[in-house]
Amino acid sequence: MSAFFPALADPSDRPALRCGQDTLTYEELARAAGALAGRLGGAGRVAVWATPTAHTAVAVVGALLAGVPAVPLNPRTGERELAHILGDSAPAAVLAGPADELPAGLAGLPRIDVDLAARGPAAVEPDDPEAPALIVYTSGTTGPPKGVVLSRRAVAASLDALAEAWAWTADDVLVHALPLFHVHGLVLGVLGPLRRGGEVRHLGAFSVAGVARELGAGGGTMLFGVPTTYHRLADALAGDADLVRAMAGARLLVSGSAALPVHDHERIAAATGRTVVERYGMTETLMNTSVLPGAGPRPGTVGVPLAGVGLRLVDEDGAVLGAYDGETVGEVQVRGPNLFSGYLGRPEATAAAFDGDWFRTGDMAVREADGAVRLVGRKATDLIKSGGYKIGAGEIENALLDHPGVREAAVTGEPDPDLGERIVAWVVPRDAERPPSEAELAAHVAAQLAPHKRPRVVRHLDALPRNDMGKILKKALREDG
């Protein structure tokens, strides 16, 4: 396998990344990451306290150079979820910025502070393409998160396929404000530009002014965001001429992690003359499809399969569907070099996720006449897409049931113009005269899991609708709501 980061093999003074006040050239990144890699030799896995900073980028690059799998940790993860991830992945140490305050749950791990100014020798990358690069935890519909093992081969293949589809080169300057503990922000948003030899500018936190500045005078050529990002930008366009000029001048506007509403597509195109490109992927598969730049507006579709990706639709009986009629619905299955290696320590779950060598995505879609994929929903009803996050209902339900005032709980999603979907908790209180408040339950879930998993709406019921087997009928909940 060729070098994962060719620009680090022969580093220059070209800018590599900027986050807040921290900036690193490729020479500085190579030295800082090389110094860190020298400290990681022999470690089985390392956790990364994945704040939206240059320290996280250096930590992950250093781990990749050392051939040590990195486990990104969401800094806002609750105690239960953090304990599960640490117990499941058993990292040898945690990498963090020197100023980071780590929670008590990490006290038992050796801490390695990432020094942006370190000047170690350039590291020699491992050459095993199947070696694990990242273990990213993803929420399923039931139970605790599973560790998705992503090989160096999978990450490289997916990024190279995107580069081909998007004509992504070393001349591109990528702007985004995505979290760095999942695939979108970390793999696409940091490793992507560094593999190309280009520049990434992370805003630290999303702001309309930051996007306008970096895409405008800052010379940014690409913007990555989630539907919530573009919804807020669309809201701001009418009164912000600088933002209009900045977005109109961008080479590529990309939205992912959930469907971008057609209304927001139309508002952005009308104001800027630019169309937003949507792509489709998930933690286990990385990127599968993309709308191709210059192909014209395609709101509602996620484009065609990327190079090297096989994609098919199957019906409920597992029969392959050949219709490209925009109407025949089937489950998306994919195969290719972009697929994960398996769920960490869960061979049965890994086997169940595949139909031969085809991965069962659980997403339902139709194919248009030109082969474009249009997603229509989940095979299961328990995955909520809110603010760019994919959130499993089961773990929120478990957290709610830990509250002393809750007897029964169910969680669903409902449409939200800003978040895409908002989390709705259906609660049967222990004391009907004194039910727990919406604010109380939201705070409880945020402390147990993460703030973005808190319910935005709480509805109290006398009982949850169930079938004869005792399963909660979530369709009935939505109809009653």
Side-chain angles (χ1 to χ4, degrees), residues 173-480:
V173 177
L174 172 62
V175 178
H176 72 93
L178 298 165
L180 301 187
F181 47 80
H182 60 37
V183 163
H184 194 172
L186 179 60
V187 176
L188 275 63
V190 174
L191 303 185
L194 296 182
R195 181 163 172 79
R196 302 271 71 80
E199 182 182 355
V200 56
R201 294 183 188 164
H202 196 284
L203 299 178
F206 170 77
S207 71
V208 170
V211 170
R213 179 185 67 249
E214 296 300 339
L215 286 184
T221 64
M222 302 167 65
L223 176 68
F224 286 0
V226 298
T228 302
T229 304
Y230 285 102
H231 178 76
R232 294 173 182 173
L233 290 170
D235 281 346
L237 281 168
D240 191 333
D242 290 339
L243 179 64
V244 171
R245 283 191 293 269
M247 292 181 66
R251 188 180 75 78
L252 198 61
L253 306 173
V254 181
S255 181
S257 296
L260 181 63
V262 172
H263 177 57
D264 289 332
H265 270 288
E266 293 172 344
R267 290 197 294 163
I268 292 169
T272 69
R274 309 293 297 177
T275 59
V276 179
V277 169
E278 290 193 80
R279 86 297 180 283
Y280 162 55
M282 53 197 306
T283 307
E284 290 93 337
T285 67
L286 299 175
M287 294 301 107
N288 299 313
T289 71
S290 178
V291 173
L292 300 179
R298 293 300 300 269
T301 79
V302 290
V304 296
L306 296 169
V309 177
L311 186 147
R312 69 183 187 183
L313 303 185
V314 299
D315 65 17
E316 293 183 0
D317 297 323
V320 177
L321 301 172
Y324 282 42
D325 57 5
E327 296 182 2
T328 305
V329 177
E331 181 189 4
V332 178
Q333 295 187 351
V334 295
R335 66 180 178 185
N338 53 308
L339 292 191
F340 73 131
S341 303
Y343 294 114
L344 181 65
R346 300 191 184 188
E348 293 182 357
T350 302
F354 282 85
D355 177 3
D357 58 352
W358 293 87
F359 177 73
R360 311 173 195 264
T361 67
D363 289 314
M364 306 301 288
V366 301
R367 299 292 293 271
E368 305 290 354
D370 63 354
V373 177
R374 178 162 56 85
L375 299 174
V376 297
R378 287 291 297 175
K379 187 174 184 180
T381 60
D382 292 327
L383 199 66
I384 302 165
K385 295 182 177 181
S386 182
Y389 295 100
K390 295 180 180 179
I391 303 166
E395 60 179 343
I396 304 174
E397 290 163 355
N398 289 334
L400 287 167
L401 290 169
D402 272 351
H403 189 282
V406 174
R407 183 183 302 279
E408 295 181 90
V411 168
T412 62
E414 66 181 21
D416 183 276
D418 186 34
L419 297 171
E421 284 187 293
R422 55 180 169 265
I423 297 168
V424 180
W426 305 80
V427 170
V428 178
R430 293 192 179 277
D431 184 347
E433 295 184 2
R434 287 191 286 182
S437 69
E438 184 170 292
E440 181 181 357
L441 291 178
H444 173 78
V445 171
Q448 289 289 320
L449 302 176
H452 68 267
K453 297 180 180 181
R454 70 190 186 278
R456 307 290 179 136
V457 178
V458 174
R459 297 187 176 127
H460 295 103
L461 300 173
D462 295 329
L464 294 176
R466 298 178 184 270
N467 64 13
D468 292 338
M469 300 297 292
K471 183 177 180 180
I472 298 170
L473 300 173
K474 293 193 173 181
K475 185 173 185 291
L477 287 174
R478 292 191 178 97
E479 290 172 350
D480 292 342

Side-chain angles (χ1 to χ4, degrees), residues 157-178:
S158 197
L159 292 177
D160 291 349
L162 286 179
E164 179 180 335
W166 296 343
W168 192 353
T169 73
D171 293 327
D172 281 305
V173 177
L174 172 62
V175 178
H176 72 93
L178 298 165

